[in-house]
Amino acid sequence: MDAPHEPGDDLDLEPPEVMFLPLAVRPGDWAGRDARLYARRVPYFLHVVLNEGGGGPTAMLEMQSMPEDGVAGWVELDEPPGRDEAFALVPAELGVRAIVTGAIAPVDGGGLRVEFVVHRDDDEDDDASVTTTFRGVLAADDPVPALLRLARHLARFLELGWREPPAGLLTRNGAAFAAVLRGLDGEKLLSGALEIKAPDDRASLVQPFAEALALDPGFGLALRLLNAATAQAIHASRLTDDAACRVFDQCFASGPGDSDGCVAVAEQLADLGDDARAL
């Protein structure tokens, strides 16, 4: 495994205090869902919510395999790493004070049981080293409320600031939530910061954000994530202006309700010289 992609390499962020790792996948009936996708992106979604709520800085560690001969891919965990191993995975220069790992498993009824194991290490005194576990079940058709409860518990335990997400930012639609998880995976591939090969059709990587808005036009976070991902990709010459605009057209055809997100997209379109769309 290569040195993990460091959070902040491709984003203008402060060094993180708390690092999320991918979850280990437990066996069970995943009913056709991509278990490894959920393992990577459920903690990433939680990290995003904590930062949107003012609780940052947190970050997500992207773990990729780097075989000598072959194609790079995502690292898949069967068991969550212990305290020492978890801290060893994170570049020491980041100086994080806590690491969040854990596991995810399917349950009867189509939901997912998530377990977040928090290793907190505030200083070199062993007495300050604490490990605590938080558990919850994400309903298949409405997973976000359970994730919000977990976010509140984590924010309190980690002594992070917390503001409740405003109305119109999140979703009560399980299919829209799943689409955003796919979009988060695509965002990382689109960034070019990883060695994992991205498909030739770069716009397809952020297309799931538009699909999420089609399922729930009130899912403001989907629009904001799409706007951030496309802005970064255009700046890095990873996505053409025309490709980004086509995805935005699909989003606005859904009538998104997040006024702040719409304004941010309009500003980006204006910067691209597309005043007609910006209006």
Side-chain angles (χ1 to χ4, degrees), residues 14-260:
E14 298 178 12
E17 297 178 13
V18 178
M19 186 69 73
F20 283 83
L21 270 57
L23 301 175
V25 173
R26 301 297 193 201
D29 182 6
W30 282 87
R33 291 171 293 190
D34 184 345
R36 303 297 178 179
L37 171 71
Y38 279 81
R40 290 191 298 271
R41 299 308 162 204
V42 166
Y44 188 19
F45 187 90
L46 193 57
H47 136 67
V48 169
V49 169
L50 282 169
N51 279 351
E52 285 283 337
T58 69
M60 180 75 202
L61 190 71
E62 300 297 333
M63 299 174 62
Q64 55 182 333
S65 62
M66 290 297 297
E68 293 183 3
D69 297 309
V71 179
W74 301 107
V75 169
E76 301 176 352
L77 301 177
D78 295 320
E79 292 292 335
R83 168 185 291 275
D84 291 344
E85 183 182 357
F87 275 97
L89 288 169
V90 179
E93 60 269 23
L94 292 180
V96 298
R97 62 181 177 86
I99 294 180
V100 183
T101 181
I104 187 167
V107 296
D108 292 343
L112 297 171
R113 178 180 292 108
V114 291
E115 176 181 279
F116 290 104
V117 180
V118 185
H119 301 296
R120 180 169 170 170
D121 192 10
D122 292 329
D123 55 39
E124 295 180 358
D125 183 353
D126 288 342
D127 292 338
S129 299
V130 178
T131 296
T132 300
T133 301
F134 299 93
R135 297 179 177 87
V137 175
L138 313 184
D141 58 348
D142 188 13
V144 171
L147 274 177
L148 274 180
R149 287 192 293 273
L150 287 164
R152 294 186 196 103
H153 289 314
L154 286 168
R156 186 178 304 113
F157 177 70
L158 293 168
E159 299 177 351
L160 300 172
W162 172 258
R163 294 193 305 269
E164 287 295 324
L169 186 67
L170 301 179
T171 187
R172 303 295 302 270
N173 184 308
F177 171 76
V180 159
L181 296 189
R182 296 195 300 274
L184 291 173
D185 225 37
E187 169 210 331
K188 287 303 178 184
L189 294 175
L190 183 60
S191 72
L194 303 176
E195 297 296 328
I196 302 171
K197 181 177 173 57
D200 293 334
D201 181 5
R202 301 284 176 78
S204 68
L205 295 171
V206 291
Q207 181 72 34
F209 292 127
E211 295 171 7
L213 284 166
L215 291 162
D216 180 3
F219 195 177
L221 184 59
L223 184 61
R224 298 185 190 193
L225 290 169
L226 171 64
N227 188 52
T230 53
Q232 180 184 346
I234 290 170
H235 178 73
S237 300
R238 298 276 297 172
L239 187 69
T240 66
D241 299 359
D242 288 344
C245 287
R246 288 196 296 271
V247 181
F248 284 133
D249 285 346
Q250 296 174 48
C251 290
F252 283 110
S254 301
D258 178 21
S259 57
D260 289 342

